[in-house]
Amino acid sequence: EIAFELRGRQAAARGFCVCTRPGGCEEAICEKHAGACAVRCRAGDADVGCLMDPGWNTGWQCWHPCNLKHHVHEYGDFREEVAAIRSQSCFEHADGWLADDSRY
């Protein structure tokens, strides 16, 4: 997880899921689930359940914010977070800037 500050608040992220399909992507489906699940869904700080249908076959990719192969604007709605992370935290990784998203 990468810690950063945005608009005076502390935050953390591992990576960001980005729609790469020109026509748009199918949204993931999260459902309330009391037990364990493979992937938890989060909305801000709230746990909203388990990822039931990730829609990964519809153009979604998860990108590490320190991967310079992706320009900040390519992260869409997450561009502000990525810019903050790149200015504050990417240098803290032992490997420096990442060449790919494999560490996500």
Side-chain angles (χ1 to χ4, degrees):
E1 223 171 55
I2 301 171
F4 64 100
E5 185 178 317
L6 182 64
R7 292 188 226 115
R9 289 191 57 203
Q10 291 297 315
R14 290 183 57 208
F16 298 99
C17 295
V18 178
C19 175
T20 60
R21 194 170 79 180
C25 296
E26 203 174 299
E27 289 295 322
I29 297 171
C30 295
E31 292 181 1
K32 289 282 186 194
H33 192 273
C37 57
V39 178
R40 302 294 304 178
C41 297
R42 299 190 66 78
D45 293 333
D47 184 340
V48 295
C50 291
L51 186 64
M52 303 309 282
D53 179 6
W56 295 127
N57 60 345
T58 63
W60 289 101
Q61 293 181 10
C62 291
W63 294 347
H64 195 286
C66 296
N67 183 346
L68 293 180
K69 285 184 180 177
H70 309 296
H71 296 281
V72 171
H73 71 273
E74 292 180 281
Y75 287 83
D77 291 343
F78 299 110
R79 61 186 167 273
E80 189 175 9
E81 289 87 344
V82 172
I85 290 169
R86 288 185 177 182
S87 69
Q88 300 168 29
S89 303
C90 288
F91 61 89
E92 294 177 3
H93 286 71
D95 298 327
W97 295 92
L98 298 177
D100 60 36
D101 298 307
S102 62
R103 292 269 177 99
Y104 170 48

